[in-house]
Amino acid sequence: MNLQIDSHGRLRHLLTLEGLPRAALEALLDRAQAIIDQGADHAPGLLAGQAVCTLFFEPSTRTRLSFHRAAQRLGADVLNFDASSSSTTKGESAHDTLRTIEAMGVRGFVVRDRAEGAAAELAAVAGEATSIINAGDGRSAHPTQGLLDMLTLRQARGRDFSGLKVLVVGDVRHSRVARSDLHALRILGAGEVRICGPEALLPPPAEMEGIPFAHDLDEAIQGVDVVMMLRLQRERMAEGLVESLEDYHRDYGLTARRLRRAAPDAVVLHPGPMNRGVEIDDEVADGPQSLILRQVANGVPVRMAVLETLLSATGSPSPAPGS
Ligand code: CP
Protein backbone atom coordinates (compact mmCIF):
# COMPACT_ATOMS: atom_id res chain seq x y z
CA MET A 1 0.00 0.00 0.00
CA ASN A 2 1.33 3.46 -0.87
CA LEU A 3 0.77 5.43 2.30
CA GLN A 4 2.18 8.65 0.86
CA ILE A 5 -0.14 9.27 -2.06
CA ASP A 6 -3.91 9.11 -1.65
CA SER A 7 -6.46 7.69 -4.08
CA HIS A 8 -6.67 11.10 -5.84
CA GLY A 9 -2.93 11.13 -6.51
CA ARG A 10 -2.29 13.78 -3.87
CA LEU A 11 0.66 13.66 -1.54
CA ARG A 12 -0.81 13.00 1.90
CA HIS A 13 2.24 12.06 3.98
CA LEU A 14 5.96 12.47 3.27
CA LEU A 15 7.75 9.37 4.56
CA THR A 16 10.46 8.68 2.00
CA LEU A 17 11.67 9.92 -1.38
CA GLU A 18 11.98 6.32 -2.59
CA GLY A 19 9.45 5.74 -5.33
CA LEU A 20 8.17 9.32 -5.27
CA PRO A 21 7.07 10.34 -8.76
CA ARG A 22 9.58 12.72 -10.35
CA ALA A 23 6.77 15.21 -10.98
CA ALA A 24 5.89 15.32 -7.28
CA LEU A 25 9.52 15.78 -6.25
CA GLU A 26 10.09 18.52 -8.82
CA ALA A 27 6.86 20.27 -7.82
CA LEU A 28 8.11 20.48 -4.23
CA LEU A 29 11.47 21.88 -5.38
CA ASP A 30 9.75 24.38 -7.71
CA ARG A 31 7.48 25.55 -4.92
CA ALA A 32 10.42 25.94 -2.50
CA GLN A 33 12.31 27.99 -5.11
CA ALA A 34 9.22 30.16 -5.73
CA ILE A 35 8.99 30.85 -1.98
CA ILE A 36 12.66 31.93 -2.01
CA ASP A 37 12.12 34.13 -5.06
CA GLN A 38 9.24 35.88 -3.30
CA GLY A 39 11.64 36.98 -0.54
CA ALA A 40 12.31 36.07 3.07
CA ASP A 41 9.72 38.54 4.34
CA HIS A 42 6.96 36.98 2.27
CA ALA A 43 4.70 35.09 4.68
CA PRO A 44 1.98 33.32 2.72
CA GLY A 45 -0.16 32.59 5.81
CA LEU A 46 -1.74 29.62 4.01
CA LEU A 47 -1.94 27.58 7.20
CA ALA A 48 -3.49 30.26 9.43
CA GLY A 49 -5.66 28.60 12.05
CA GLN A 50 -3.90 25.25 11.69
CA ALA A 51 -1.45 23.61 14.08
CA VAL A 52 1.70 21.61 13.42
CA CYS A 53 3.38 19.44 16.07
CA THR A 54 7.09 18.67 16.02
CA LEU A 55 7.17 15.19 17.54
CA PHE A 56 10.87 14.49 18.04
CA PHE A 57 12.12 11.46 19.95
CA GLU A 58 15.73 12.19 18.90
CA PRO A 59 17.75 15.41 19.13
CA SER A 60 17.80 17.93 16.30
CA THR A 61 18.80 21.52 15.67
CA ARG A 62 18.35 22.15 11.95
CA THR A 63 15.33 20.02 11.15
CA ARG A 64 13.21 20.88 14.17
CA LEU A 65 13.90 24.63 14.07
CA SER A 66 13.48 24.96 10.33
CA PHE A 67 10.14 23.12 10.44
CA HIS A 68 9.16 25.45 13.28
CA ARG A 69 10.17 28.51 11.25
CA ALA A 70 8.47 27.15 8.14
CA ALA A 71 5.18 26.51 9.96
CA GLN A 72 5.31 29.99 11.53
CA ARG A 73 5.88 31.64 8.15
CA LEU A 74 2.82 29.80 6.87
CA GLY A 75 0.78 31.18 9.76
CA ALA A 76 0.36 27.87 11.64
CA ASP A 77 0.60 27.43 15.40
CA VAL A 78 3.50 25.18 16.39
CA LEU A 79 3.37 22.67 19.25
CA ASN A 80 6.80 21.54 20.29
CA PHE A 81 6.60 18.04 21.82
CA ASP A 82 9.47 17.37 24.23
CA ALA A 83 9.83 13.61 24.64
CA SER A 84 11.89 13.91 27.82
CA SER A 85 9.14 15.78 29.69
CA SER A 86 6.19 14.03 28.03
CA SER A 87 3.98 11.18 29.20
CA THR A 88 5.98 8.80 27.00
CA THR A 89 8.29 8.70 30.04
CA LYS A 90 5.32 7.09 31.86
CA GLY A 91 4.98 4.50 29.14
CA GLU A 92 2.49 6.17 26.79
CA SER A 93 2.95 4.79 23.29
CA ALA A 94 3.74 6.88 20.22
CA HIS A 95 0.34 5.89 18.79
CA ASP A 96 -1.53 7.12 21.89
CA THR A 97 0.60 10.26 21.87
CA LEU A 98 -0.43 10.91 18.25
CA ARG A 99 -4.13 10.29 19.01
CA THR A 100 -3.95 12.57 22.03
CA ILE A 101 -2.44 15.47 20.09
CA GLU A 102 -4.76 14.85 17.13
CA ALA A 103 -7.68 15.26 19.57
CA MET A 104 -6.42 18.81 20.20
CA GLY A 105 -7.05 19.59 16.54
CA VAL A 106 -3.51 19.16 15.20
CA ARG A 107 -3.31 17.93 11.59
CA GLY A 108 0.40 18.08 10.81
CA PHE A 109 3.03 15.99 12.59
CA VAL A 110 6.75 16.20 11.98
CA VAL A 111 8.22 12.99 13.40
CA ARG A 112 11.81 12.03 14.21
CA ASP A 113 12.56 8.70 15.84
CA ARG A 114 15.56 6.40 16.12
CA ALA A 115 13.42 3.45 14.99
CA GLU A 116 13.21 2.73 11.27
CA GLY A 117 9.65 2.89 9.99
CA ALA A 118 8.40 4.92 12.99
CA ALA A 119 6.85 7.68 10.85
CA ALA A 120 5.23 5.14 8.51
CA GLU A 121 3.74 3.30 11.49
CA LEU A 122 2.12 6.52 12.67
CA ALA A 123 0.91 7.31 9.14
CA ALA A 124 -0.78 3.90 9.02
CA VAL A 125 -2.87 4.67 12.11
CA ALA A 126 -3.30 8.44 11.75
CA GLY A 127 -6.71 10.02 11.35
CA GLU A 128 -7.98 10.75 7.85
CA ALA A 129 -7.21 14.46 8.03
CA THR A 130 -3.73 13.99 9.50
CA SER A 131 -0.44 14.25 7.61
CA ILE A 132 2.81 12.75 8.87
CA ILE A 133 6.20 14.06 7.77
CA ASN A 134 9.24 11.92 8.40
CA ALA A 135 12.01 14.10 9.88
CA GLY A 136 14.40 11.13 10.10
CA ASP A 137 13.77 7.51 11.12
CA GLY A 138 16.80 5.46 12.12
CA ARG A 139 19.02 4.87 9.14
CA SER A 140 16.08 4.69 6.75
CA ALA A 141 15.06 8.11 5.41
CA HIS A 142 15.26 11.87 5.88
CA PRO A 143 13.20 13.06 2.95
CA THR A 144 13.20 16.80 3.63
CA GLN A 145 17.02 16.72 3.93
CA GLY A 146 17.09 14.98 0.54
CA LEU A 147 14.83 17.68 -0.90
CA LEU A 148 16.87 20.57 0.46
CA ASP A 149 20.06 18.97 -0.80
CA MET A 150 18.53 18.68 -4.29
CA LEU A 151 17.35 22.30 -4.18
CA THR A 152 20.86 23.38 -3.19
CA LEU A 153 22.34 21.43 -6.10
CA ARG A 154 19.77 22.85 -8.50
CA GLN A 155 20.64 26.40 -7.45
CA ALA A 156 24.34 25.70 -7.95
CA ARG A 157 24.17 23.60 -11.12
CA GLY A 158 20.78 24.07 -12.76
CA ARG A 159 17.82 21.73 -13.09
CA ASP A 160 19.47 19.22 -15.40
CA PHE A 161 21.46 16.76 -13.30
CA SER A 162 22.32 14.46 -16.21
CA GLY A 163 25.87 15.77 -16.54
CA LEU A 164 26.65 15.74 -12.82
CA LYS A 165 29.23 13.49 -11.20
CA VAL A 166 28.34 13.14 -7.54
CA LEU A 167 30.46 11.52 -4.82
CA VAL A 168 28.94 10.55 -1.46
CA VAL A 169 31.62 10.06 1.21
CA GLY A 170 31.51 8.41 4.61
CA ASP A 171 29.13 6.33 6.68
CA VAL A 172 26.60 5.50 3.97
CA ARG A 173 25.60 2.31 5.78
CA HIS A 174 24.06 4.13 8.75
CA SER A 175 23.00 7.34 7.02
CA ARG A 176 19.35 8.18 6.39
CA VAL A 177 20.53 11.34 4.64
CA ALA A 178 22.57 9.29 2.18
CA ARG A 179 19.61 7.03 1.43
CA SER A 180 17.30 9.97 0.75
CA ASP A 181 19.94 11.73 -1.35
CA LEU A 182 20.63 8.59 -3.39
CA HIS A 183 16.90 8.09 -4.06
CA ALA A 184 16.49 11.73 -5.07
CA LEU A 185 19.57 11.73 -7.32
CA ARG A 186 18.26 8.61 -9.08
CA ILE A 187 14.77 10.11 -9.55
CA LEU A 188 16.25 13.35 -10.91
CA GLY A 189 18.56 11.52 -13.30
CA ALA A 190 22.00 12.40 -11.92
CA GLY A 191 24.61 11.41 -14.48
CA GLU A 192 27.03 9.51 -12.26
CA VAL A 193 26.85 8.74 -8.56
CA ARG A 194 29.68 7.10 -6.60
CA ILE A 195 30.07 6.13 -2.96
CA CYS A 196 33.32 6.16 -1.00
CA GLY A 197 34.02 4.96 2.53
CA PRO A 198 35.62 2.20 4.57
CA GLU A 199 34.28 -1.28 3.93
CA ALA A 200 32.60 -1.43 7.35
CA LEU A 201 30.59 1.73 6.63
CA LEU A 202 29.36 0.86 3.13
CA PRO A 203 25.83 -0.45 2.66
CA PRO A 204 25.22 -4.16 2.06
CA PRO A 205 25.61 -5.04 -1.66
CA ALA A 206 21.85 -5.66 -2.05
CA GLU A 207 21.24 -1.99 -1.23
CA MET A 208 23.82 -0.62 -3.65
CA GLU A 209 21.60 -1.06 -6.72
CA GLY A 210 24.52 -0.77 -9.09
CA ILE A 211 26.07 2.31 -7.48
CA PRO A 212 29.86 1.98 -7.79
CA PHE A 213 31.81 2.23 -4.57
CA ALA A 214 35.44 2.85 -3.70
CA HIS A 215 37.63 2.85 -0.62
CA ASP A 216 40.30 5.26 -1.86
CA LEU A 217 39.02 8.82 -1.55
CA ASP A 218 41.95 10.34 -3.41
CA GLU A 219 40.97 8.30 -6.47
CA ALA A 220 37.20 8.50 -6.09
CA ILE A 221 37.14 12.29 -5.83
CA GLN A 222 38.96 12.82 -9.15
CA GLY A 223 36.92 15.15 -11.38
CA VAL A 224 33.63 15.01 -9.45
CA ASP A 225 31.29 18.01 -9.52
CA VAL A 226 29.65 17.46 -6.15
CA VAL A 227 31.12 16.07 -2.93
CA MET A 228 28.46 15.11 -0.39
CA MET A 229 30.13 14.50 2.96
CA LEU A 230 28.39 12.56 5.71
CA ARG A 231 28.75 12.88 9.46
CA LEU A 232 30.84 10.18 11.07
CA GLN A 233 28.53 8.81 13.75
CA ARG A 234 30.95 8.53 16.66
CA GLU A 235 29.25 5.47 18.11
CA ARG A 236 30.77 3.60 15.12
CA MET A 237 34.11 3.79 16.92
CA ALA A 238 32.63 2.08 19.99
CA GLU A 239 31.27 -0.60 17.66
CA GLY A 240 34.79 -1.14 16.30
CA LEU A 241 33.82 -0.08 12.76
CA VAL A 242 36.34 2.78 12.77
CA GLU A 243 39.86 2.47 14.22
CA SER A 244 40.29 6.06 15.38
CA LEU A 245 39.16 9.55 14.44
CA GLU A 246 42.73 10.31 13.30
CA ASP A 247 42.75 7.33 10.94
CA TYR A 248 39.33 8.27 9.62
CA HIS A 249 40.47 11.83 8.94
CA ARG A 250 43.62 10.58 7.20
CA ASP A 251 41.67 8.27 4.88
CA TYR A 252 38.26 9.94 4.48
CA GLY A 253 38.53 13.50 5.73
CA LEU A 254 37.83 16.19 3.14
CA THR A 255 40.89 18.42 3.18
CA ALA A 256 41.61 21.35 0.88
CA ARG A 257 44.32 19.24 -0.77
CA ARG A 258 41.86 16.45 -1.53
CA LEU A 259 39.22 18.83 -2.79
CA ARG A 260 41.67 20.13 -5.40
CA ARG A 261 41.40 16.70 -7.11
CA ALA A 262 37.68 17.30 -7.78
CA ALA A 263 36.49 19.49 -10.67
CA PRO A 264 37.76 23.08 -10.18
CA ASP A 265 34.23 24.35 -9.59
CA ALA A 266 33.13 21.39 -7.47
CA VAL A 267 30.73 22.12 -4.62
CA VAL A 268 30.72 20.58 -1.13
CA LEU A 269 27.63 19.61 0.85
CA HIS A 270 27.28 18.29 4.39
CA PRO A 271 23.93 17.80 6.15
CA GLY A 272 25.29 18.78 9.57
CA PRO A 273 26.08 18.54 12.34
CA MET A 274 29.73 18.42 11.28
CA ASN A 275 32.66 16.81 13.05
CA ARG A 276 35.22 19.42 12.08
CA GLY A 277 38.69 17.97 11.73
CA VAL A 278 37.26 14.46 11.32
CA GLU A 279 35.21 14.14 8.11
CA ILE A 280 35.76 17.73 6.99
CA ASP A 281 38.39 20.41 7.63
CA ASP A 282 37.53 23.98 8.62
CA GLU A 283 39.19 25.27 5.47
CA VAL A 284 36.72 23.30 3.33
CA ALA A 285 33.63 23.67 5.52
CA ASP A 286 34.05 27.46 5.58
CA GLY A 287 35.62 27.77 2.13
CA PRO A 288 34.26 29.17 -1.12
CA GLN A 289 33.14 25.78 -2.47
CA SER A 290 31.06 24.95 0.60
CA LEU A 291 27.26 25.14 0.28
CA ILE A 292 26.67 23.95 3.84
CA LEU A 293 24.98 27.09 5.15
CA ARG A 294 22.99 27.39 1.94
CA GLN A 295 21.66 23.89 2.69
CA VAL A 296 20.55 25.11 6.11
CA ALA A 297 18.91 28.21 4.61
CA ASN A 298 17.08 26.08 2.03
CA GLY A 299 15.63 23.96 4.83
CA VAL A 300 13.02 26.60 5.62
CA PRO A 301 11.48 27.06 2.13
CA VAL A 302 11.67 23.34 1.42
CA ARG A 303 9.78 22.59 4.63
CA MET A 304 7.31 25.37 3.86
CA ALA A 305 6.68 23.74 0.47
CA VAL A 306 6.14 20.36 2.13
CA LEU A 307 3.80 21.68 4.84
CA GLU A 308 1.85 23.73 2.31
CA THR A 309 1.54 20.77 -0.05
CA LEU A 310 0.32 18.38 2.61
CA LEU A 311 -1.79 20.66 4.75
CA SER A 312 -3.26 23.46 2.67
CA ALA A 313 -6.37 22.92 0.59
CA THR A 314 -4.73 24.52 -2.44
CA GLY A 315 -1.11 23.56 -2.08
CA SER A 316 -0.96 19.98 -3.28
CA PRO A 317 0.77 19.55 -6.62
CA SER A 318 -0.67 16.31 -7.95
CA PRO A 319 1.78 14.08 -9.77
CA ALA A 320 0.52 12.85 -13.10
CA PRO A 321 -0.92 9.33 -12.77
CA GLY A 322 1.75 6.74 -13.34
CA SER A 323 4.50 9.37 -13.57
N1 CP B 1 20.71 17.49 9.09
C1 CP B 1 20.00 17.26 10.23
O1 CP B 1 19.05 16.44 10.25
O2 CP B 1 20.38 17.99 11.30
P1 CP B 1 19.66 17.98 12.74
O3 CP B 1 19.90 16.62 13.34
O4 CP B 1 20.30 19.10 13.50
O5 CP B 1 18.18 18.18 12.51
Side-chain angles (χ1 to χ4, degrees):
M1 185 175 61
N2 188 339
L3 278 174
Q4 298 200 114
I5 297 180
D6 70 14
S7 55
H8 305 292
R10 293 164 61 101
L11 197 60
R12 178 170 164 212
H13 306 290
L14 182 63
L15 306 173
T16 176
L17 298 182
E18 185 174 15
L20 200 67
R22 181 170 180 157
L25 199 157
E26 291 197 320
L28 289 167
L29 298 180
D30 289 345
R31 181 62 195 139
Q33 188 59 52
I35 290 168
I36 293 169
D37 294 343
Q38 283 163 343
D41 295 335
H42 180 73
L46 280 169
L47 300 187
Q50 293 205 43
V52 172
C53 179
T54 53
L55 196 59
F56 278 51
F57 296 94
E58 259 195 343
S60 165
T61 296
R62 280 147 282 267
T63 311
R64 185 203 281 268
L65 292 180
S66 59
F67 264 113
H68 196 122
R69 177 96 178 99
Q72 281 179 331
R73 281 191 60 194
L74 291 166
D77 296 327
V78 184
L79 282 73
N80 184 19
F81 170 87
D82 174 16
S84 65
S85 62
S86 77
S87 289
T88 57
T89 58
K90 295 181 249 175
E92 188 165 41
S93 68
H95 183 184
D96 277 338
T97 302
L98 173 74
R99 286 160 54 108
T100 300
I101 302 171
E102 274 181 326
M104 299 173 193
V106 177
R107 278 187 54 206
F109 290 84
V110 182
V111 179
R112 172 170 289 189
D113 198 297
R114 65 185 75 254
E116 280 156 42
E121 280 172 26
L122 289 181
V125 296
E128 261 182 36
T130 296
S131 289
I132 305 287
I133 300 166
N134 184 2
D137 61 328
R139 66 175 74 176
S140 178
H142 193 348
T144 56
Q145 180 72 45
L147 288 169
L148 72 88
D149 288 347
M150 295 308 112
L151 183 66
T152 306
L153 279 187
R154 247 195 191 193
Q155 291 166 348
R157 292 309 169 97
R159 299 172 64 99
D160 181 3
F161 285 8
S162 63
L164 281 188
K165 289 184 189 164
V166 182
L167 177 66
V168 182
V169 184
D171 185 3
V172 179
R173 179 182 283 257
H174 302 98
S175 173
R176 56 195 175 209
V177 173
R179 282 179 179 71
S180 287
D181 281 339
L182 292 170
H183 290 312
L185 288 165
R186 184 174 299 121
I187 292 166
L188 296 175
E192 192 182 317
V193 180
R194 312 172 192 168
I195 291 171
C196 181
E199 183 71 37
L201 299 182
L202 290 177
E207 267 191 39
M208 304 282 273
E209 295 186 32
I211 300 173
F213 63 92
H215 301 305
D216 185 330
L217 180 53
D218 287 316
E219 276 180 25
I221 201 169
Q222 295 273 4
V224 302
D225 303 300
V226 180
V227 188
M228 301 180 102
M229 299 304 296
L230 299 173
R231 179 172 71 91
L232 177 68
Q233 303 183 23
R234 285 168 185 257
E235 58 271 31
R236 304 308 161 214
M237 269 184 59
E239 293 167 17
L241 300 178
V242 174
E243 288 280 317
S244 71
L245 298 182
E246 293 72 26
D247 287 355
Y248 189 84
H249 177 262
R250 183 195 61 221
D251 295 337
Y252 297 104
L254 188 57
T255 61
R257 181 188 62 78
R258 280 207 165 107
L259 184 56
R260 281 195 285 276
R261 292 172 169 263
D265 58 351
V267 293
V268 176
L269 280 74
H270 189 303
M274 290 181 275
N275 295 302
R276 289 172 178 264
V278 179
E279 74 263 6
I280 191 164
D281 278 5
D282 289 345
E283 205 179 348
V284 177
D286 304 325
Q289 288 165 273
S290 168
L291 298 180
I292 295 169
L293 288 179
R294 188 165 337 156
Q295 289 172 269
V296 177
N298 282 334
V300 176
V302 158
R303 288 163 177 138
M304 286 173 76
V306 169
L307 289 169
E308 199 183 283
T309 299
L310 298 182
L311 298 177
S312 88
T314 55
S316 183
S318 299
S323 64

